[in-house]
Amino acid sequence: MDNGVPVIDIAVLRGAGGSRRSIETVDAISAGCRDWGFFQVVNHGVPNQLIERVWSETRRFFALPRETKLAISRTRENPRGYYDRELTKNKRDLKEVFDFGVVPHPELPDDHPENRAAVDGYNQWPVTLPSFKGTMLQYFHSCEELGIELLEALCLGLGVERDALRPHFTPLHTSFMRFNYYPLADPLEPDAAAATVQLGDMALHHHTDAGALTILLQDEVGGLQVSADDAWFDVRPLAGALVVNVGDMTQVWSNDRYRAALHRVRPITDRPRYSIPFFFNPSYETDCAPLTAVIGDEPKYRAVNWGTFRQARTAGDYADYGKEIQIEDFLL
């Protein structure tokens, strides 16, 4: 246990599916999803050497001159790239971000028309860091594999077939990765005209994640907190671990057996912080509804189309375009 949030060794998930130890691991994951909506995993299969390269490239990117980062800024039309005025709950967070995601045709250039998805836009990469793209794509693919393994464990914990949700993620899914940098000073301070929304009181304000699962790599600084029993608990950094949390779509699929927990990042005052979430999301055609074997006769939600939900949430992150969409809007 790490201050309440479970820490689970998942090496067995890659082994035989029927052993007592694998059943215990699935039970532990299910309990973490049910009681916390959060857990940490060790022996997850992502190489330490790759993680070290990812950290190195992340720090090099955010150390670039501001004008270099702004050259690959995201927009409302293209939500991939660099951004320094992210909103959560219509409040500006004290952070800089860089986003990229899966492309339908990796053999084509990122900005090729067939890779310009209506919702996702297209990937942009810093040309001054030649090894950045290759390193980040390798880590992205490792998280894809881990995401499928965890999704299968979640299904088993609900008492449904291991691959019940796999068709919504293979061959196509809509996952993306974010690189967060939490500086000590407001990145918009030199550009007062750009700071149209004032900073809130959190580095990252309380929210739930919209998709299926989030796999987070956090540094040693800490600051991530999860809400449980009307209190906030630290998710303390653990060497070699990845943090996993349930998203809104999994809460719907599980008919509230698993919960998408509120989480936030408290302000850090002594040194900058970095974190890297991988948002594991289904295909946009997916209509998420409580799984038949889980709901019995009383489903709590009507179907939520993931593409529509995601697009509405993205608009709320980019700027204040009204009430932020929530799964509570789909309660029966």
Side-chain angles (χ1 to χ4, degrees):
M1 302 292 289
D2 180 29
N3 199 24
V5 177
V7 178
I8 306 170
D9 186 330
I10 63 168
V12 72
L13 294 183
R14 295 176 189 82
S19 70
R20 176 174 174 78
R21 188 177 173 203
S22 66
I23 294 170
E24 291 172 349
T25 301
V26 167
D27 288 346
I29 290 173
S30 184
C33 294
R34 180 189 67 236
D35 299 336
W36 290 91
F38 265 73
F39 55 96
Q40 299 203 59
V41 295
V42 294
N43 290 323
H44 41 67
V46 182
N48 289 333
Q49 299 91 332
L50 174 58
I51 290 175
E52 289 303 317
R53 297 207 319 269
V54 167
W55 280 133
S56 176
E57 295 287 352
T58 299
R59 292 184 172 92
R60 289 175 65 200
F61 172 77
F62 286 112
L64 290 172
R66 186 164 184 261
E67 59 270 20
T68 303
K69 293 179 288 190
L70 288 175
I72 53 172
S73 288
R74 80 184 201 196
T75 64
R76 190 179 183 188
E77 292 73 29
N78 181 20
R80 293 182 179 178
Y82 172 77
Y83 204 54
D84 57 9
R85 59 206 74 181
E86 180 87 357
L87 301 183
T88 306
K89 301 294 183 184
N90 298 329
K91 297 179 181 178
R92 185 159 63 88
D93 302 320
L94 178 56
K95 66 176 181 177
E96 302 175 43
V97 304
F98 174 82
D99 292 350
F100 76 94
V102 67
V103 294
H105 299 282
E107 74 281 1
L108 297 174
D110 285 282
D111 60 353
H112 190 279
E114 293 189 37
N115 278 332
R116 288 175 176 255
V119 176
D120 288 329
Y122 60 94
N123 290 335
Q124 305 182 84
W125 300 100
V127 296
T128 56
L129 300 178
S131 58
F132 185 88
K133 177 179 178 179
T135 298
M136 300 317 185
L137 287 178
Q138 185 179 353
Y139 180 63
F140 187 94
H141 296 320
S142 293
C143 289
E144 284 178 306
E145 295 175 357
L146 178 57
I148 289 293
E149 292 173 353
L150 292 170
L151 197 70
E152 291 177 349
L154 264 62
C155 286
L156 291 173
L158 291 171
V160 301
E161 293 294 325
R162 179 192 298 268
D163 59 355
L165 294 175
R166 181 184 279 265
H168 301 309
F169 293 83
T170 57
L172 295 175
H173 60 84
T174 59
S175 306
F176 73 100
M177 186 166 282
R178 166 163 294 173
F179 298 85
N180 290 315
Y181 169 51
Y182 298 89
L184 297 181
D186 185 352
L188 298 189
E189 207 168 79
D191 186 6
T196 54
V197 179
Q198 295 302 308
L199 280 170
D201 58 356
M202 283 286 147
L204 173 62
H205 292 84
H206 71 275
H207 66 287
T208 61
D209 291 343
L213 290 174
T214 302
I215 300 171
L216 173 73
L217 177 62
Q218 64 170 340
D219 67 10
E220 73 284 356
V221 176
L224 175 63
Q225 296 183 317
V226 57
S227 175
D229 298 325
D230 298 320
W232 288 100
F233 293 84
D234 290 329
V235 184
R236 295 179 180 174
L238 179 64
L242 294 170
V243 180
V244 181
N245 65 275
V246 171
D248 291 335
M249 296 303 102
T250 294
Q251 180 167 330
V252 171
W253 276 322
S254 72
N255 208 36
D256 284 350
R257 289 196 188 180
Y258 298 156
R259 68 188 192 98
L262 284 173
H263 54 286
R264 68 185 187 184
V265 177
R266 58 179 172 78
I268 303 297
T269 59
D270 60 340
R271 51 181 170 162
R273 176 181 185 267
Y274 300 86
S275 70
I276 304 171
F278 169 78
F279 300 100
F280 194 42
N281 299 331
S283 66
Y284 283 132
E285 294 74 23
T286 299
D287 290 323
C288 301
L291 296 168
T292 303
V294 175
I295 62 175
D297 295 326
E298 297 183 8
K300 296 182 179 180
Y301 298 92
R302 56 188 172 88
V304 183
N305 175 262
W306 167 241
T308 302
F309 192 87
R310 166 65 181 152
Q311 190 165 20
R313 186 66 68 86
T314 300
D317 291 343
Y318 179 73
D320 183 359
Y321 292 115
K323 178 183 179 296
E324 187 178 81
I325 193 170
Q326 303 291 342
I327 55 174
E328 287 78 8
D329 299 330
F330 297 85
L331 284 169
L332 291 172

